[in-house]
Amino acid sequence: MAVYTHITQETLQDFLPRYALGDLHRLEGIREGVENTNYRLQTAQGHFILTIFEDRTPAEDLPYFIELMRHAAGKDIPCPHPIGDRSGEILKTIDGKPVVIFTELSGAAELEPGIAQCGEVGRLLGRFHRAAEDFSGKRDNALGLAGWRPLIEEIGNKADKIEPRLAQELRDELDFIEHHWPRHLPQGTIHADLIPQNVLWQGKELTGMIDFYFSCNDILAYDLAICLNAWCFASGHTQMEAQHAKAMIEGYETFRPLNHAEHDALSVLCRGAALRFLTTRLHDLFFTPAGALVTKKDPSEYLRKNRYFRVNDLFAA
């Protein structure tokens, strides 16, 4: 359920005249999603998405996310385009909460991607990184390398409830990753959450990327590592599909070739990406209050992926 703030047609009929979108024809809550409230709007001018930002999305970061989407859309990246009101203002409020109206993208997520789809996602990510090269916004990655140890320390021995001695395993793995983490790879604007739920398709055609609310500045190849984790494992999450990964990397390099150092670092970047999602899922599992705006996900998926990367390197020359 992703309708946490309920609004009525009467509220929207008072709100919409600020925009040149015409009369409201339909208002429908969208159940997909995790952290924010989303409504589908049909007006005289077409179909739109109204997003109400809830407490988990920091209000001070919203201008960065909005400008990034506007910049990417202006470079022909298929992503939601924020709509300004009649005065050009994009970020508004309803009932004291930040609100933005976006263009609606067509399509649906594909949760069992094939080789061709992995190639398309690689191309999309490469295009996005190229398009964002001249984006002036800056945002630190709160869930980057520096953020993992505080989370792991807070989780502590609670991790052993998932599996005996997991707490020490997490500490040991972080020690390894911190020691081997590449420090001088190309950096830029990354999406940081381009998982299958955040890519839309119509048949075989990729129609959009959504959910930019983890976007930040970090290692570009780390963004690719996140996608390799999310898109290229067989069911059961214990084995990476080599052809899926090959297609994704080749697709990415169509737009942004990796240098030798980036190729050499993919294995540790993938270990780090798996540890990031494992750690945040564990933290949400143990520390999310009842009724909070978070959908708890199974951490064991990324535990299996992290263990895979410790003993396998598909990226070795």
Side-chain angles (χ1 to χ4, degrees):
M1 180 74 173
V3 178
Y4 305 107
T5 298
H6 292 273
I7 56 176
T8 64
Q9 289 210 9
E10 289 75 18
T11 299
L12 259 296
Q13 285 167 346
D14 290 337
F15 180 78
L16 276 181
R18 306 175 191 180
Y19 298 81
L21 300 179
D23 294 336
L24 176 66
H25 292 173
R26 186 181 181 192
L27 172 67
E28 177 187 9
I30 302 174
R31 293 182 177 272
E32 293 83 1
V34 176
E35 296 179 351
N36 297 309
T37 292
N38 295 283
Y39 284 90
R40 183 172 288 109
L41 305 181
Q42 182 180 354
T43 77
Q45 295 297 320
H47 295 82
F48 304 90
I49 300 294
L50 182 144
T51 297
I52 302 174
F53 294 96
E54 306 290 353
D55 294 339
R56 192 167 160 100
T57 303
E60 62 270 21
D61 288 339
L62 292 179
Y64 171 89
F65 300 139
I66 290 167
E67 287 305 311
L68 176 57
M69 282 184 273
R70 185 161 65 172
H71 181 91
K75 294 292 187 75
D76 294 324
I77 300 298
C79 67
H81 193 294
I83 303 296
D85 66 8
R86 294 179 186 275
S87 66
E89 187 176 358
I90 292 173
L91 188 60
K92 310 293 288 186
T93 61
I94 289 181
D95 292 338
K97 293 185 176 182
V99 172
V100 176
I101 295 178
F102 297 96
T103 54
E104 182 179 16
L105 304 179
S106 59
E110 172 54 72
L111 303 184
E112 296 183 1
I115 294 171
Q117 288 158 320
C118 288
E120 285 297 316
V121 171
R123 282 186 280 276
L124 174 65
L125 187 67
R127 286 177 58 204
F128 172 69
H129 286 171
R130 283 297 189 197
E133 285 179 343
D134 60 348
F135 177 60
S136 61
K138 303 293 181 184
R139 179 176 181 266
D140 292 337
N141 187 358
L143 293 175
L145 177 65
W148 301 341
R149 187 167 294 278
L151 289 175
I152 288 174
E153 290 176 351
E154 186 175 4
I155 292 165
N157 291 334
K158 289 183 175 67
D160 293 343
K161 296 178 181 179
I162 302 298
E163 186 177 301
R165 296 180 292 280
L166 179 56
Q168 187 60 50
E169 183 178 341
L170 293 175
R171 298 184 191 105
D172 292 343
E173 175 65 358
L174 181 57
D175 288 343
F176 175 90
I177 290 172
E178 286 180 335
H179 182 72
H180 292 88
W181 195 251
R183 307 290 176 177
H184 303 292
L185 297 184
Q187 298 203 8
T189 303
I190 69 171
H191 184 280
D193 197 31
L194 200 62
I195 60 177
Q197 291 85 347
N198 290 335
V199 177
L200 304 179
W201 307 82
Q202 280 192 326
K204 296 181 180 180
E205 181 186 1
L206 194 160
T207 55
M209 61 190 296
I210 61 174
D211 200 348
F212 284 71
Y213 307 119
F214 288 100
S215 297
C216 57
N217 290 83
D218 209 327
I219 295 171
L220 294 170
Y222 172 65
D223 213 12
L224 178 59
I226 290 172
C227 289
L228 289 164
N229 267 273
W231 289 84
C232 299
F233 272 80
S235 59
H237 313 298
T238 59
Q239 182 71 34
M240 174 170 268
E241 299 276 18
Q243 293 303 310
H244 290 63
K246 181 175 184 290
M248 178 170 284
I249 294 169
E250 289 179 350
Y252 181 84
E253 291 194 297
T254 301
F255 290 92
R256 185 186 169 270
L258 299 171
N259 63 35
H260 290 301
E262 289 174 301
H263 270 292
D264 291 344
L266 274 180
S267 182
V268 71
L269 291 172
C270 282
R271 283 177 73 163
L275 184 66
R276 173 266 193 250
F277 282 90
L278 167 58
T279 300
T280 52
R281 287 185 178 193
L282 283 169
H283 193 272
D284 285 346
L285 182 66
F286 292 124
F287 294 100
T288 300
L293 307 183
V294 179
T295 299
K296 298 177 184 179
K297 297 181 179 179
D298 180 11
S300 64
E301 172 188 341
Y302 277 91
L303 176 58
R304 293 192 290 272
K305 291 176 177 179
N306 177 264
R307 286 171 173 170
Y308 171 86
F309 286 120
R310 294 182 217 171
V311 297
N312 296 277
D313 187 358
L314 288 183
F315 317 113

